[in-house]
Amino acid sequence: MAELNLQEIHDLLITVAHEAGRMMMAATPSYLFSGTKKNSADLVTDTDQAVEKMVSTRLLTAHPDFKFIGEETYHPGQQLTEGPTFIVDPIDGTTNFVHAFPAFCISLGFAVNKSPVVGVIYNPFLDELYTGIKGKGSFVTRNGTKLRLPLKQEPEPLKDLSTCLIGAEWGSDRTGNNFAVKTKVFAKLAASRDDGGAMVHSIRAVGSAALNLVLVASGQQDVFWEGGCWAWDVCAGWCILVEAGGIMVGGNPGDWEATIEGRKYLAIRGAPNGQKEIVEEMWAVIGDGKMDYES
Ligand code: LIP
């Protein structure tokens, strides 16, 4: 296979992201809802499916030798290989999309050797475009201005969890072990130190893993922790995060070698020091009650 031109792939993904954004904004929110997947909190719309069809057609026409994994066409057993692969969520934050809550996006990742090397995330409601190429940094473009990430040129050191703004999501699984782990961790993160908690500044649930990751890449959230999301939710944001000096590890204690398909993630913003300590503090909060989402 010829050498990959990541810049050209990045440029193509941006064109496709803008086209997807126009499709999302042309859909009328009150008529969007078309159905549920595994339960009443796991939504899908006609627009998710139409955007994915457009995206896969465009990307595979340009690169017929590459693989494609998309949320709406994924089937159990489909696995990421070492080959060049587009990993796409046509609408991340579908629940927000249905409610016209302004935090939804297209997430376009590109992985080689199972590692994210290009990421493009576009929120059409706010017209915010996040981009990254391995080794070339990451950026946000809004109101026609392109800024390098993180937004602060000299991010502060990370002190401890009590100084952090945390992104964490409920997800759509509302029963069993994983829901119990999440509710326990949320309570421990929020609780006062006198009561044995971490007393973080606060916890946000913006409703899109991809947008959580770019918030951490930007330095606007210090941490993002989630179990249950999928490769298409994190591939693009992972590239953007790392290019902004952030790190990604596993969402369960001890997992320093997170994988794209691992389904349990912990992202920490760029900082001159303190990243490892925040990871260990988060894992201590999780303790023995591990999440058991299957890869
Ligand atoms: C969603 C995520 C969200 C997570 C949900 C789901 P969707 O993706 O981004 O953060 O909590 O479990 O995976 O369904 O909107 O594409």
Side-chain angles (χ1 to χ4, degrees):
M1 187 175 292
E3 197 174 323
L4 293 170
N5 183 338
L6 296 185
Q7 183 67 49
E8 183 253 330
I9 291 165
H10 160 274
D11 296 351
L12 172 66
L13 294 182
I14 290 176
T15 306
V16 168
H18 281 128
E19 176 62 25
R22 283 189 284 277
M23 292 172 73
M24 286 184 230
M25 297 311 288
T28 308
S30 53
Y31 297 105
L32 287 172
F33 182 68
S34 75
T36 57
K37 293 198 267 193
K38 68 174 184 289
N39 62 36
S40 64
D42 190 14
L43 307 183
V44 62
T45 73
D46 289 344
T47 312
D48 292 69
Q49 287 158 348
V51 171
E52 181 159 321
K53 183 78 196 141
M54 180 278 289
V55 172
S56 61
T57 303
R58 291 281 293 270
L59 298 182
L60 292 175
T61 301
H63 295 283
D65 296 339
F66 294 178
K67 300 260 187 307
F68 181 91
I69 296 176
E71 175 172 16
E72 306 309 333
T73 47
Y74 168 81
H75 53 85
Q78 186 181 9
Q79 278 181 347
L80 178 60
T81 67
E82 307 275 319
T85 306
F86 295 110
I87 305 182
V88 171
D89 190 345
I91 304 181
D92 190 42
T94 303
T95 305
N96 290 339
F97 180 59
V98 168
H99 290 268
F101 185 87
F104 53 86
C105 62
I106 179 162
S107 175
L108 297 162
F110 182 63
V112 180
N113 295 324
K114 300 190 177 186
S115 173
V117 292
V118 181
V120 169
I121 291 174
Y122 181 55
N123 175 343
F125 205 101
L126 302 180
D127 191 22
E128 288 181 342
L129 176 72
Y130 294 87
T131 58
I133 302 177
K134 186 176 183 183
K136 294 198 172 167
S138 54
F139 302 86
V140 59
T141 305
R142 64 166 80 89
N143 299 326
T145 303
K146 185 172 179 179
L147 301 170
R148 182 178 275 274
L149 301 180
L151 295 171
K152 283 186 186 166
Q153 285 180 0
E154 293 184 16
E156 289 110 23
L158 284 156
K159 203 170 145 236
D160 58 36
L161 277 181
S162 77
T163 63
C164 288
L165 184 62
I166 313 280
E169 295 290 335
W170 293 102
S172 50
D173 294 311
R174 305 292 168 79
T175 182
N177 174 63
N178 291 319
F179 189 63
V181 172
K182 286 187 180 183
T183 50
K184 187 199 80 178
V185 169
F186 292 172
K188 278 186 83 174
L189 286 171
S192 84
R193 295 227 153 187
D194 289 345
D195 291 340
M199 197 153 177
V200 298
H201 277 174
S202 197
I203 304 174
R204 301 280 177 265
V206 75
S208 151
L211 292 178
N212 269 292
L213 288 171
V214 297
L215 283 165
V216 177
S218 302
Q220 294 167 303
Q221 275 182 172
D222 301 293
V223 173
F224 169 54
W225 176 70
E226 186 171 4
C229 46
W230 296 85
W232 45 82
D233 297 312
V234 299
C235 180
W238 190 327
C239 175
I240 293 166
L241 171 78
V242 169
E243 287 304 310
I247 60 167
M248 182 81 105
V249 298
N252 273 339
D255 183 12
W256 287 105
E257 303 295 330
T259 62
I260 296 182
E261 296 177 294
R263 303 202 56 206
K264 301 163 286 287
Y265 311 95
L266 175 60
I268 314 290
R269 72 163 167 85
N273 53 54
Q275 289 176 313
K276 185 170 171 284
E277 288 76 6
I278 293 288
V279 167
E280 283 166 347
E281 213 185 330
M282 274 297 296
W283 284 346
V285 168
I286 299 162
D288 294 334
K290 293 188 175 186
M291 298 180 286
D292 55 14
Y293 293 101
E294 281 179 28
S295 303

